[in-house]
Amino acid sequence: MMAIERVAIVGLGLIGSSIARAIAERLPQVTVTGHDASADVRALAGELGLCDRIADDAAAAVVDADLVILAVPVGRMADAAAAIAPGLKADAIISDVGSSKAGVAKALATALPGHAVIPAHPVAGTENSGPAAGFATLFEGRWCIVTPDVGASQDAVATVTSFWQALGARVETMDAAHHDMVLAVTSHLPHLIAYTIVGTASELEEVTESEVIKYSAGGFRDFTRIAASDPVMWRDVFLANKDAVLATLQRFNEDLTALQQAIRRGDADKLEDWFTRTRAIRRSIIEQGQDDAAPDFGRRH
Ligand code: NAP
């Protein structure tokens, strides 16, 4: 396993800036160089003191990095990889944090032939974006899924694994295609549903938008948190993970139709069985430390 002394982070938004903050807190001996395509973000990252050095140029940011992490939207990974290529050390490990993996892995391998590419996805985030939105504890107790190619260097996989563990994450290794199917269910479909519900509610004719907002505590507002997520990031996720999302959506539509039928037919048992099963899933998430047990997400009343 390689000892990491210098990390370069390309993309200093929510995830990139959280990585920088977590390194400063948990790996203070590691030097961090940051780069972002946006001059405004670079300036803000400088003001916030996120990195030891901020480079205006992607290739210059990675020159002496042992580990480079691409934290840009999934649709920008290929560009970002091409931009860092001229500056990389021969033995640098390149990783990313993209929310979909098979397409990103392919794009990185194509742009960076001969380099150790170890894709990863920290399953942690919020609905906010940008460098000011990040925080050092974002990854604590959360899972980071590493999706190395079959021929990947085991040393490089071990280095990326121990890096994420050092930031407080729990690490699991998975095939990229399987990752994309799992995340289609646990993340991408819920976002699509939230985007749909919030969009639909704002366009209903019988109910005014002000009524939707006023009475949102009935359930609607919990969807609005997810539906407030970054539009560019999520546009790219759906385009990149198209097949897995469409397969999951097909299954969701079938189940929705079954519930629709149960309501129409007055099938009380079907509805109660279904809702009992879903309540158990919520309880398992709390038991496994993936959410707080506080009622109503800990809101003050
Ligand atoms: P973000 O807050 O919007 O930050 C992304 C930053 O990358 C922006 O400042 C953006 O600048 C910059 N950027 C875009 N293209 C670039 C390029 N070619 N080179 C350098 N910088 C570039 O997004 P985020 O939430 O941190 O997401 C970053 C990645 O993490 C995405 O791949 C996402 O799928 C993944 N992820 C997100 C979450 C989450 O909950 N947000 C969780 C896990 C993983 P501009 O704004 O000027 O384009």
Side-chain angles (χ1 to χ4, degrees), residues 13-14 17-18 21 48 126-135 138:
L14 170 72
S17 74
S18 295
R21 288 174 168 101
L48 293 169
T126 74
E127 65 277 28
N128 298 324
S129 31
F135 51 99
L138 178 62

Side-chain angles (χ1 to χ4, degrees), residues 9-18 35-42 58 70-81 83-84 96-101 104 120-131 133 138-139 187-188 191 229-230 232-234 236-237:
I9 303 170
V10 176
L12 296 170
L14 170 72
I15 301 295
S17 74
S18 295
H35 167 75
D36 196 284
S38 156
D40 289 347
V41 170
R42 293 199 299 272
L70 303 178
V72 303
V74 165
R76 303 290 297 276
M77 291 288 180
D79 288 351
I84 61 166
D96 75 298
V97 295
S99 304
S100 68
K101 295 269 57 98
V104 170
H121 175 205
V123 186
T126 74
E127 65 277 28
N128 298 324
S129 31
L138 178 62
F139 311 111
S187 173
H188 308 170
H191 276 79
S229 299
D230 192 80
V232 171
M233 174 194 151
W234 282 98
D236 284 3
V237 169

